[in-house]
PDB file of all heavy atoms in Angstrom:
ATOM      1  N   HIS A 340     264.201  71.065 145.099  1.00  0.00           N
ATOM      2  CA  HIS A 340     264.068  71.929 146.276  1.00  0.00           C
ATOM      3  C   HIS A 340     265.419  72.404 146.780  1.00  0.00           C
ATOM      4  O   HIS A 340     265.537  72.865 147.904  1.00  0.00           O
ATOM      5  CB  HIS A 340     263.333  71.176 147.393  1.00  0.00           C
ATOM      6  CG  HIS A 340     261.937  70.806 147.014  1.00  0.00           C
ATOM      7  ND1 HIS A 340     260.871  71.658 147.157  1.00  0.00           N
ATOM      8  CD2 HIS A 340     261.433  69.681 146.448  1.00  0.00           C
ATOM      9  CE1 HIS A 340     259.769  71.073 146.724  1.00  0.00           C
ATOM     10  NE2 HIS A 340     260.082  69.868 146.293  1.00  0.00           N
ATOM     11  N   TRP A 341     266.458  72.268 145.934  1.00  0.00           N
ATOM     12  CA  TRP A 341     267.807  72.649 146.369  1.00  0.00           C
ATOM     13  C   TRP A 341     267.976  74.145 146.151  1.00  0.00           C
ATOM     14  O   TRP A 341     268.344  74.602 145.097  1.00  0.00           O
ATOM     15  CB  TRP A 341     268.867  71.872 145.585  1.00  0.00           C
ATOM     16  CG  TRP A 341     270.221  72.120 146.151  1.00  0.00           C
ATOM     17  CD1 TRP A 341     271.123  73.058 145.766  1.00  0.00           C
ATOM     18  CD2 TRP A 341     270.820  71.432 147.234  1.00  0.00           C
ATOM     19  NE1 TRP A 341     272.243  72.992 146.536  1.00  0.00           N
ATOM     20  CE2 TRP A 341     272.081  71.994 147.454  1.00  0.00           C
ATOM     21  CE3 TRP A 341     270.410  70.388 148.061  1.00  0.00           C
ATOM     22  CZ2 TRP A 341     272.956  71.563 148.438  1.00  0.00           C
ATOM     23  CZ3 TRP A 341     271.276  69.948 149.030  1.00  0.00           C
ATOM     24  CH2 TRP A 341     272.522  70.525 149.208  1.00  0.00           C
ATOM     25  N   ARG A 342     267.688  74.898 147.165  1.00  0.00           N
ATOM     26  CA  ARG A 342     267.837  76.342 147.073  1.00  0.00           C
ATOM     27  C   ARG A 342     268.659  76.808 148.262  1.00  0.00           C
ATOM     28  O   ARG A 342     268.212  76.712 149.408  1.00  0.00           O
ATOM     29  CB  ARG A 342     266.465  77.045 147.109  1.00  0.00           C
ATOM     30  CG  ARG A 342     265.530  76.581 146.010  1.00  0.00           C
ATOM     31  CD  ARG A 342     265.969  77.100 144.651  1.00  0.00           C
ATOM     32  NE  ARG A 342     265.001  76.728 143.642  1.00  0.00           N
ATOM     33  CZ  ARG A 342     265.078  75.611 142.948  1.00  0.00           C
ATOM     34  NH1 ARG A 342     266.047  74.760 143.168  1.00  0.00           N
ATOM     35  NH2 ARG A 342     264.163  75.350 142.024  1.00  0.00           N
ATOM     36  N   TYR A 343     269.850  77.298 148.000  1.00  0.00           N
ATOM     37  CA  TYR A 343     270.668  77.834 149.084  1.00  0.00           C
ATOM     38  C   TYR A 343     270.158  79.226 149.435  1.00  0.00           C
ATOM     39  O   TYR A 343     270.288  80.170 148.661  1.00  0.00           O
ATOM     40  CB  TYR A 343     272.145  77.901 148.675  1.00  0.00           C
ATOM     41  CG  TYR A 343     272.889  76.697 149.129  1.00  0.00           C
ATOM     42  CD1 TYR A 343     273.058  75.601 148.298  1.00  0.00           C
ATOM     43  CD2 TYR A 343     273.396  76.637 150.415  1.00  0.00           C
ATOM     44  CE1 TYR A 343     273.734  74.483 148.729  1.00  0.00           C
ATOM     45  CE2 TYR A 343     274.076  75.524 150.851  1.00  0.00           C
ATOM     46  CZ  TYR A 343     274.249  74.457 150.004  1.00  0.00           C
ATOM     47  OH  TYR A 343     274.912  73.338 150.434  1.00  0.00           O
ATOM     48  N   LYS A 344     269.547  79.320 150.608  1.00  0.00           N
ATOM     49  CA  LYS A 344     269.026  80.602 151.060  1.00  0.00           C
ATOM     50  C   LYS A 344     270.053  81.255 151.976  1.00  0.00           C
ATOM     51  O   LYS A 344     271.173  80.810 152.104  1.00  0.00           O
ATOM     52  CB  LYS A 344     267.701  80.376 151.805  1.00  0.00           C
ATOM     53  CG  LYS A 344     266.651  79.676 150.933  1.00  0.00           C
ATOM     54  CD  LYS A 344     265.415  79.352 151.732  1.00  0.00           C
ATOM     55  CE  LYS A 344     264.404  78.563 150.906  1.00  0.00           C
ATOM     56  NZ  LYS A 344     263.238  78.161 151.693  1.00  0.00           N
ATOM     57  N   GLU A 345     269.638  82.340 152.606  1.00  0.00           N
ATOM     58  CA  GLU A 345     270.514  83.036 153.546  1.00  0.00           C
ATOM     59  C   GLU A 345     270.920  82.060 154.637  1.00  0.00           C
ATOM     60  O   GLU A 345     270.081  81.450 155.280  1.00  0.00           O
ATOM     61  CB  GLU A 345     269.770  84.223 154.176  1.00  0.00           C
ATOM     62  CG  GLU A 345     270.674  85.171 154.937  1.00  0.00           C
ATOM     63  CD  GLU A 345     271.530  86.019 153.998  1.00  0.00           C
ATOM     64  OE1 GLU A 345     271.095  86.295 152.864  1.00  0.00           O
ATOM     65  OE2 GLU A 345     272.628  86.405 154.425  1.00  0.00           O
ATOM     66  N   GLY A 346     272.233  81.916 154.869  1.00  0.00           N
ATOM     67  CA  GLY A 346     272.702  80.984 155.894  1.00  0.00           C
ATOM     68  C   GLY A 346     272.739  79.553 155.421  1.00  0.00           C
ATOM     69  O   GLY A 346     273.021  78.650 156.191  1.00  0.00           O
ATOM     70  N   ARG A 347     272.407  79.302 154.165  1.00  0.00           N
ATOM     71  CA  ARG A 347     272.472  77.953 153.583  1.00  0.00           C
ATOM     72  C   ARG A 347     271.645  76.941 154.376  1.00  0.00           C
ATOM     73  O   ARG A 347     272.146  75.936 154.859  1.00  0.00           O
ATOM     74  CB  ARG A 347     273.919  77.475 153.488  1.00  0.00           C
ATOM     75  CG  ARG A 347     274.728  78.327 152.523  1.00  0.00           C
ATOM     76  CD  ARG A 347     276.137  77.837 152.437  1.00  0.00           C
ATOM     77  NE  ARG A 347     276.879  78.629 151.479  1.00  0.00           N
ATOM     78  CZ  ARG A 347     278.163  78.477 151.227  1.00  0.00           C
ATOM     79  NH1 ARG A 347     278.846  77.572 151.865  1.00  0.00           N
ATOM     80  NH2 ARG A 347     278.769  79.224 150.331  1.00  0.00           N
ATOM     81  N   VAL A 348     270.386  77.229 154.526  1.00  0.00           N
ATOM     82  CA  VAL A 348     269.495  76.345 155.280  1.00  0.00           C
ATOM     83  C   VAL A 348     268.525  75.660 154.328  1.00  0.00           C
ATOM     84  O   VAL A 348     267.851  76.314 153.541  1.00  0.00           O
ATOM     85  CB  VAL A 348     268.704  77.133 156.343  1.00  0.00           C
ATOM     86  CG1 VAL A 348     267.739  76.217 157.069  1.00  0.00           C
ATOM     87  CG2 VAL A 348     269.662  77.791 157.334  1.00  0.00           C
ATOM     88  N   LEU A 349     268.470  74.345 154.396  1.00  0.00           N
ATOM     89  CA  LEU A 349     267.523  73.585 153.584  1.00  0.00           C
ATOM     90  C   LEU A 349     266.253  73.335 154.377  1.00  0.00           C
ATOM     91  O   LEU A 349     266.244  73.415 155.600  1.00  0.00           O
ATOM     92  CB  LEU A 349     268.128  72.247 153.171  1.00  0.00           C
ATOM     93  CG  LEU A 349     269.230  72.281 152.115  1.00  0.00           C
ATOM     94  CD1 LEU A 349     269.797  70.883 151.952  1.00  0.00           C
ATOM     95  CD2 LEU A 349     268.723  72.792 150.801  1.00  0.00           C
ATOM     96  N   SER A 350     265.178  72.987 153.690  1.00  0.00           N
ATOM     97  CA  SER A 350     263.936  72.658 154.383  1.00  0.00           C
ATOM     98  C   SER A 350     264.115  71.359 155.155  1.00  0.00           C
ATOM     99  O   SER A 350     264.987  70.547 154.862  1.00  0.00           O
ATOM    100  CB  SER A 350     262.798  72.508 153.369  1.00  0.00           C
ATOM    101  OG  SER A 350     262.973  71.321 152.613  1.00  0.00           O
ATOM    102  N   ALA A 351     263.244  71.179 156.148  1.00  0.00           N
ATOM    103  CA  ALA A 351     263.333  69.970 156.987  1.00  0.00           C
ATOM    104  C   ALA A 351     263.153  68.718 156.143  1.00  0.00           C
ATOM    105  O   ALA A 351     263.804  67.698 156.365  1.00  0.00           O
ATOM    106  CB  ALA A 351     262.280  70.032 158.092  1.00  0.00           C
ATOM    107  N   LYS A 352     262.268  68.784 155.133  1.00  0.00           N
ATOM    108  CA  LYS A 352     262.017  67.624 154.271  1.00  0.00           C
ATOM    109  C   LYS A 352     263.270  67.256 153.473  1.00  0.00           C
ATOM    110  O   LYS A 352     263.642  66.098 153.351  1.00  0.00           O
ATOM    111  CB  LYS A 352     260.864  67.917 153.317  1.00  0.00           C
ATOM    112  CG  LYS A 352     260.456  66.748 152.434  1.00  0.00           C
ATOM    113  CD  LYS A 352     259.479  67.159 151.369  1.00  0.00           C
ATOM    114  CE  LYS A 352     258.162  67.579 151.931  1.00  0.00           C
ATOM    115  NZ  LYS A 352     257.176  67.909 150.869  1.00  0.00           N
ATOM    116  N   ASP A 353     263.928  68.302 152.927  1.00  0.00           N
ATOM    117  CA  ASP A 353     265.143  68.063 152.149  1.00  0.00           C
ATOM    118  C   ASP A 353     266.247  67.495 153.018  1.00  0.00           C
ATOM    119  O   ASP A 353     266.953  66.560 152.638  1.00  0.00           O
ATOM    120  CB  ASP A 353     265.621  69.366 151.497  1.00  0.00           C
ATOM    121  CG  ASP A 353     264.614  69.889 150.469  1.00  0.00           C
ATOM    122  OD1 ASP A 353     263.747  69.106 150.073  1.00  0.00           O
ATOM    123  OD2 ASP A 353     264.715  71.063 150.092  1.00  0.00           O
ATOM    124  N   GLU A 354     266.419  68.087 154.209  1.00  0.00           N
ATOM    125  CA  GLU A 354     267.462  67.610 155.124  1.00  0.00           C
ATOM    126  C   GLU A 354     267.204  66.166 155.517  1.00  0.00           C
ATOM    127  O   GLU A 354     268.132  65.354 155.607  1.00  0.00           O
ATOM    128  CB  GLU A 354     267.509  68.495 156.389  1.00  0.00           C
ATOM    129  CG  GLU A 354     268.159  69.843 156.174  1.00  0.00           C
ATOM    130  CD  GLU A 354     269.664  69.739 155.984  1.00  0.00           C
ATOM    131  OE1 GLU A 354     270.190  68.613 155.934  1.00  0.00           O
ATOM    132  OE2 GLU A 354     270.304  70.792 155.874  1.00  0.00           O
TER     133      GLU A 354
END
Side-chain angles (χ1 to χ4, degrees):
H340 297 275
W341 188 267
R342 303 288 184 269
Y343 265 94
K344 302 175 184 176
E345 192 73 29
R347 295 180 178 177
V348 177
L349 288 174
S350 71
K352 184 189 294 183
D353 295 344
E354 284 288 5

